Each structure stands twice: as structure tokens, then as C-alpha cells.
């Protein structure tokens, strides 16, 4: 809803995805000439000027974020570096800020990439936040710095970029112009082409599947809520607890859709007729069906038609015939929250002014509706790190013995470690916590877990629901990410993240529920000291 214009106050514009693009210098903007102090040797990469001008024309601010250890090593002077930068601006146009680390690896500074210091500095100088920035760079250090600050990373590999750096990148583009295409495409995708004249009436939104799926759909549902009088959410039993945490939802219908689950139960005609009756009773003016890329919205669209819903929007590669009014298509690899936002936009809905396009929970979370004893869900005092060893899907879980070693390593580094898990994971959390943590397995519901994660300095977790819970409450995540699905699509969204695990393992992109590779090497190989280092990267001091 647009705020009142009384008093001459102008409504804030709907925030786009990004305010700024940060660019690595050597290998990204200009050809990498090691320790270059000579302006004559500046050679822009092909298409750089035109690509940067397109970003400028889109209203994005630009900064350079660059490690220049040649200063510390005495290979060139600051005056020579300034001459090089003047030449770069002469060739590529002006930058709004230059963030430069003059240190060497041995200085232990907080600005040398992969540390996120330069990203924080550039965002501050440009008057924005890291989560509203994209960093384009050519090596893994750039991506690590971007993610650790909560920014988006786009890798533009060069011949010196290592294959494992390409595998681990959230997004990779062929070259700088292609990276710019991708940034601008993603920004356009979440903006409605044809904004609505007035508010919609009752809109039925649908997201089946588990808690994480429901949480990442939150921004899309908020966009619908911003333009509708009433929002009814249809979710499955596994997503119900997460649905209860989402802002913008007026009513929840919990109903398992038999064709969604794997293994899928048989379709029961009596149940389907009962669902149609329930959906008819909603009297929705329209419906927006959110799905994962491997799900079809069409079976449910047919039931919604039978329930009399006049306008239905969904993402569908399959020909929908008369089942959809708005058939939206999305390229592979888009972050799930943006996928949902882009469907909402295609249906004509945008986030309210001032509503950031990240994950969010209800503001009244924990103040009502929690019947558990306070002692069980109270947030412990003082700083602590949470390790959540379980996963909704076995292929994405770090083995228990490795999680125990991680707990021991974090405790040895001076952290108080809480180990969390659901009621059915008590055996697992007890085993993992025995290595030096406090076992909270089975003591909280999802809202209680959200409060514990919100109070944590950092969450160590696989690709499962609590990772998205952390994103929703702004807690940094050490993501033990099995590459069975794309990290750029399913990684914690717009929150500081350190990615660990073998991104190039043979299970990559298999979507396997059970790891198809003997020994589960993608996560068994996670090194506990690397987890300690990742926590230090995300939570300095
Ligand atoms: Zn530095």
C-alpha cells in the first residue's frame, strides 16, 4: 500500500534489487599486468566501457574493490597507482568510489580479499548496504569477500581462474558484458511490467514442500500481500511451521498435495474433491502458484479452475493451455527468492515501498502463539555459535562425526556452541553436542529455533530450512553446501555467508536425496579448522 502523500512527503520508491556494482580491478576491468605502476600498460577488457555505461544508465553506482599488495611490497608508489587509476577512469569512465587494500597477506588486515572489509567500505561510501551490492570479480577471493559481506557475487572467469573457483561461484558469466546483462536482467525480472490499477481482492498463494521452500518464497508472498486485500496461503504439512512465521499471510490452509512429495502417495479422489471444495470456499479472485523449477503448477491449476478461480499465474515450461492466465518463464539458476518475486511481478505485484527484497519473519514472532515452556525456548545469554547438524534431505547433511569434530574445533577456539535439531533428531544432536556443545535438540519449535538463531553470532548448517531461517533474521551462515542443487539458487539469500564443501563433487546438480557418491565426499571432506576460519571471516573478533 502506498503511504499517504499528506504533508508533501513523497512515497519511497519500491527498492530494486541493487544500488551498486563493485568491480574487481585486475583481470576484471583491465587485463592483469602484475604489480602495474605504469598507466601506459592499462588495457581494458573487451566491452568494458559500454558495459559499465549500461550500469550507470540504470542508476547503479559503481566502485572498484581491489587488492594492491604491490604498495606494501614496494613494487610501485601510491602516486604511480593513482596515475594508473586516472588512466582507468579516462578509458572506462568515472567510478563513485575506489576501495583499495594496500596490505600484504602477512599484514592480517580486514580489508584484503577474501576478507569482506573492502565490500563494507565501498557500500558505506556509496550510502548503501552490502546486501544491496553485486561484486563482479575474476577469482574465488572476490566471491568469498562478496558472500562474507552479504553481497551478491558474479564470477567472470579468466584463463587463470581455477576450476574449483568456478564450481563454487554463486553465479558465473562468460565475460564482463555478460555479467552486466545478468545483473540488469535480474533487476528487471522483479519489477512488474504492468503495475495494477488498484488492489487485488483475495489472492490464494501456494507453496508446497518443506520449511525452507516456504521461507524462500516469503518475498514473493509479501509482494502479493502489498497489492491484495487478503492473502490465503496453501501449504503442505512440512511447510506449515514456516508458513506461520511469514508476514503478509492472513489465513493458512494446510493440505498435502500428493503429486508434490517424493515418494508420492497415491491420489485419492475423495481427498481431491474435498480440496476443491475447500479452495472453492476461499472464493479467491486470483491465485499465484509458486513452485520449484522441477515442479509443475498445472495439476493444482486444474483444481483451481474447478474451484472457480478466474485468474491463475505460475511458472511453467510446459504448455498450460487454458490452465494459466499468466504463464511466466524463468532461466535456471536464479535465486529462489527472486524466482518467486519475478512470478509475483509477472502477476502484477511488487514489494511495498521500503520492503527490502530479502527473507523476513513476522515482527511479532515469539510474542504469541508459543505454548512451550519459556525455559525451553529462551534465548541463551551471551555470544554463541549454533551448529545445526540435521537436514531435511540426507544428501545435504554433513556426517555426524564430522559435525562433532566441528563442534570440538569451535569450542577449542573459544566459542560457546549450541547444537540444535528437531524432535526426531535428538540422537544426532546428543552425539554431536557431546564433543563440546550444549544440546538443544528437540527443545524448540521452528519459532523457538528462529529466536535462538537470531541471537547467534553465526549458524553452521547445511542446505536446509534453518539456513533460510538465519537469512530471514540476518544471522551469518557458514554453509556446508552439498552441490546437489545450485548454490546460487539455494544458498542463504542476502546475508553474510561462507560456503564450504566440495562444489565440484560428482553429486553436483544431481538433485539427489541420498548422496549417489560413496563416502559422501562433498561434505565428509569439510575440514573443521576451515569452519573455524569461516566463522572468523564472518564474525571478526
Ligand atoms: Zn588490507
Amino acid at each position: 500500500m502506498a503511504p499517504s502523500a499528506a504533508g508533501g512527503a513523497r512515497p519511497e520508491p519500491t527498492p530494486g534489487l541493487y544500488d551498486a556494482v563493485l568491480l574487481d580491478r585486475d583481470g576484471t576491468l583491465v587485463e592483469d599486468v602484475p604489480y602495474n605502476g605504469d598507466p601506459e600498460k592499462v588495457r581494458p577488457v573487451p566491452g568494458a566501457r559500454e558495459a559499465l555505461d549500461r550500469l550507470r544508465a540504470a542508476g547503479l553506482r559503481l566502485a572498484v574493490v581491489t587488492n594492491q599488495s604491490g604498495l606494501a611490497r614496494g613494487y610501485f608508489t601510491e602516486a604511480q597507482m593513482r596515475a594508473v587509476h586516472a588512466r582507468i577512469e579516462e578509458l572506462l569512465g568515472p567510478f563513485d568510489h575506489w576501495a583499495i587494500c594496500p596490505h600484504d597477506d602477512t599484514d592480517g588486515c580486514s580489508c584484503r580479499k577474501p576478507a569482506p572489509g573492502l565490500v563494507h567500505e565501498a557500500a558505506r561510501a556509496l550510502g548503501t548496504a552490502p546486501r544491496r551490492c553485486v561484486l563482479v570479480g575474476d577469482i574465488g577471493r572476490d566471491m568469498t569477500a562478496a558472500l562474507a559481506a552479504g553481497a551478491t557475487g558474479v564470477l567472470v572467469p579468466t584463463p587463470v581462474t581455477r576450476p574449483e573457483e568456478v564450481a563454487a561461484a554463486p553465479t558465473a558469466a562468460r565475460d564482463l558484458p555478460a555479467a552486466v546483462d545478468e545483473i540488469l536482467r535480474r533487476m528487471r525480472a522483479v519489477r512488474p511490467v504492468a503495475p495494477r490499477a488498484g488492489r487485488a481482492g483475495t489472492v490464494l498463494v501456494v507453496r508446497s514442500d518443506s520449511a525452507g521452500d516456504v521461507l524462500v518464497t516469503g518475498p514473493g508472498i509479501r509482494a502479493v500481500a502489498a497489492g491484495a486485500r487478503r492473502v490465503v496461503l496453501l501449504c503442505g504439512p512440512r511447510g506449515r511451521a514456516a508458513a506461520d512465521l511469514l508476514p503478509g499471510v492472513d489465513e493458512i490452509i494446510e493440505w498435502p498435495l500428493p503429486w508434490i512429495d517424493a515418494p508420492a502417495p497415491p491420489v485419492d479422489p475423495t481427498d481431491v474433491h474435498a480440496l476443491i471444495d475447500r479452495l472453492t470456499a476461499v472464493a479467491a479472485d486470483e491465485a499465484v502458484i509458486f513452485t520449484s523449477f522441477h515442479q509443475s503448477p498445472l495439476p493444482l491449476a486444474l483444481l483451481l479452475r474447478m474451484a472457480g478461480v478466474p485468474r491463475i499465474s505460475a511458472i511453467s515450461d510446459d504448455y498450460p493451455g487454458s490452465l494459466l492466465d499468466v504463464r511466466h518463464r524463468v532461466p535456471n539458476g536464479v535465486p529462489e527468492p527472486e524466482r518467486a518475486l519475478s512470478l509475483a511481478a509477472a502477476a502484477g505485484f511488487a514489494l511495498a515501498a521500503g520492503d527490502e527484497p530479502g527473507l523476513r519473519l513476522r515482527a511479532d514472532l515469539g510474542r504469541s502463539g508459543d505454548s512451550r515452556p519459556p525455559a525451553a525456548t529462551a534465548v541463551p545469554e551471551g555470544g554463541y555459535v549454533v551448529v545445526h547438524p540435521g537436514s531435511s534431505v540426507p544428501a545435504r547433511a554433513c556426517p555426524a562425526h564430522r559435525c562433532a569434530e566441528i563442534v570440538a574445533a569451535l569450542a577449542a577456539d573459544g566459542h560457546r556452541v549450541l547444537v540444535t535439531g528437531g524432535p526426531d533428531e535428538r540422537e544426532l544432536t546428543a552425539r554431536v553436542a557431546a564433543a563440546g556443545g550444549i544440546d538443544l535438540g528437540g527443545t524448540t519449535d521452528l519459532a523457538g529455533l528462529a529466536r535462538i538463531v537470531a541471537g547467534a553470532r553465526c549458524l553452521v548448517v547445511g542446505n536446509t530450512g534453518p539456513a533460510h531461517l538465519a537469512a530471514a533474521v540476518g544471522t551469518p551462515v557458514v554453509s556446508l553446501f552439498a552441490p546437489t542443487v545450485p548454490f546460487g539458487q539455494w544458498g542463504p539469500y542476502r546475508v553474510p555467508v561462507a560456503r564450504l564443501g566440495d562444489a565440484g563433487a560428482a553429486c553436483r546438480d544431481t538433485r539427489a536425496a541420498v548422496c549417489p557418491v560413496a563416502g559422501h565426499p562433498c561434505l565428509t571432506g569439510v575440514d573443521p579448522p576451515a569452519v573455524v576460519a569461516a566463522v572468523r571471516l564472518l564474525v571478526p573478533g
Side-chain angles (χ1 to χ4, degrees):
M1 183 169 45
S4 154
R10 293 177 138 260
E12 270 181 80
T14 299
L17 277 186
Y18 306 118
D19 292 329
V21 178
L22 318 182
L23 300 121
D24 170 56
R25 195 190 87 174
D26 301 318
T28 302
L29 286 176
V30 298
E31 285 174 20
D32 189 8
V33 178
Y35 305 112
N36 182 24
D38 180 358
E40 294 302 310
K41 291 186 181 158
V42 170
R43 299 273 178 278
V45 302
R49 176 71 200 235
E50 187 272 338
L52 295 173
D53 282 345
R54 283 193 290 139
L55 295 174
R56 294 180 180 112
L60 291 159
R61 278 157 279 164
L62 303 184
V64 180
V65 290
T66 179
N67 286 353
Q68 292 300 333
S69 64
L71 286 171
R73 296 172 198 193
Y75 294 160
F76 51 80
T77 65
E78 198 171 327
Q80 285 173 311
M81 184 186 72
R82 290 194 188 287
V84 167
H85 292 175
R87 178 64 178 150
I88 291 174
E89 291 204 321
E90 195 183 317
L91 293 167
L92 296 182
F95 293 92
D96 300 291
H97 185 71
W98 287 81
I100 299 156
C101 168
H103 307 109
D104 199 343
D105 266 332
T106 56
D107 291 334
C109 69
S110 61
C111 46
R112 183 166 166 79
K113 295 177 285 183
L118 293 181
V119 180
H120 287 288
E121 180 203 316
R124 222 175 12 249
L126 299 175
T128 186
R131 67 173 184 278
R132 302 192 51 76
C133 297
V134 189
L135 194 161
V136 182
D138 68 324
I139 57 172
R141 280 176 173 241
D142 297 310
M143 298 302 101
T144 303
L147 293 177
T152 299
V154 179
L155 184 78
V156 178
T158 69
V160 304
T161 312
R162 301 200 313 268
E164 57 269 33
E165 295 178 319
V166 179
T171 303
R174 187 179 65 251
D175 53 21
L176 182 58
V180 167
D181 288 342
E182 174 68 7
I183 291 164
L184 295 176
R185 189 191 60 69
R186 280 170 61 168
M187 290 179 72
R188 275 194 308 272
V190 301
R191 287 222 166 90
V193 178
R196 288 164 176 266
R199 276 172 102 70
T202 296
V203 182
L204 178 76
V205 295
V206 183
R207 188 62 167 102
S208 291
D209 252 329
S210 62
D213 299 296
V214 170
L215 290 172
V216 297
T217 309
I221 293 173
R222 296 206 309 273
V224 172
R229 277 194 285 278
R230 177 174 164 72
V231 171
V232 179
L233 169 61
L234 172 65
C235 70
R238 290 182 299 127
R240 173 58 194 257
D244 284 327
L245 305 181
L246 288 185
V249 176
D250 298 297
E251 185 189 343
I252 296 172
I253 301 173
E254 179 186 326
W255 205 292
L257 302 181
W259 57 90
I260 291 287
D261 284 321
V267 172
D268 170 7
T270 312
D271 180 67
V272 172
H273 284 295
L275 175 57
I276 294 171
D277 290 345
R278 182 67 188 85
L279 295 172
T280 304
V282 172
D285 297 293
E286 60 183 285
V288 181
I289 308 174
F290 295 100
T291 47
S292 278
F293 72 104
H294 57 278
Q295 295 168 343
S296 171
L298 298 183
L300 185 68
L302 176 61
L303 303 193
L304 290 171
R305 284 291 191 231
M306 292 170 76
V309 178
R311 184 177 193 259
I312 305 175
S313 304
I315 296 171
S316 184
D317 285 329
D318 293 332
Y319 171 64
S322 53
L323 295 182
L324 299 182
D325 301 278
V326 176
R327 176 202 193 181
H328 183 52
R329 320 271 304 251
V330 179
N332 287 335
V334 173
E336 285 288 311
E338 286 173 33
R339 203 166 180 277
L341 275 171
S342 79
L343 172 58
F349 297 102
L351 286 170
D355 189 1
E356 270 294 310
L359 276 52
R360 198 151 61 74
L361 305 182
R362 301 172 71 100
D364 59 354
L365 174 67
R367 272 182 241 143
S368 63
D370 187 356
S371 58
R372 286 169 182 273
T377 55
V379 176
E381 297 283 320
Y384 57 88
V385 168
V386 173
V387 173
H388 189 95
S391 172
S392 59
V393 176
R396 300 191 225 135
C398 186
H401 71 275
R402 189 62 76 203
C403 288
E405 289 169 16
I406 289 168
V407 167
L410 288 167
D413 198 45
H415 294 284
R416 193 150 66 112
V417 184
L418 309 185
V419 179
T420 55
D424 53 344
E425 295 170 333
R426 285 192 151 128
E427 213 174 302
L428 170 66
T429 60
R431 188 177 159 197
V432 171
I438 299 162
D439 182 11
L440 295 182
T443 64
T444 65
D445 57 8
L446 197 68
L449 180 61
R451 285 192 291 275
I452 288 171
V453 170
R457 306 177 73 194
C458 184
L459 171 67
V460 180
V461 67
N463 175 23
T464 190
H468 304 299
L469 214 49
V473 298
T475 295
V477 180
V478 175
S479 175
L480 312 178
F481 197 94
T484 51
V485 294
F487 178 78
Q489 187 170 357
W490 286 101
Y493 188 62
R494 285 166 93 98
V495 70
V497 175
R499 177 187 186 169
L500 295 178
D502 181 358
C507 61
R508 186 177 171 93
D509 295 336
T510 58
R511 288 182 9 223
V514 176
C515 184
V517 185
H520 193 23
C522 66
L523 292 181
T524 303
V526 168
D527 191 24
V531 176
V532 173
V535 172
R536 285 189 180 176
L537 185 75
L538 296 176
V539 193

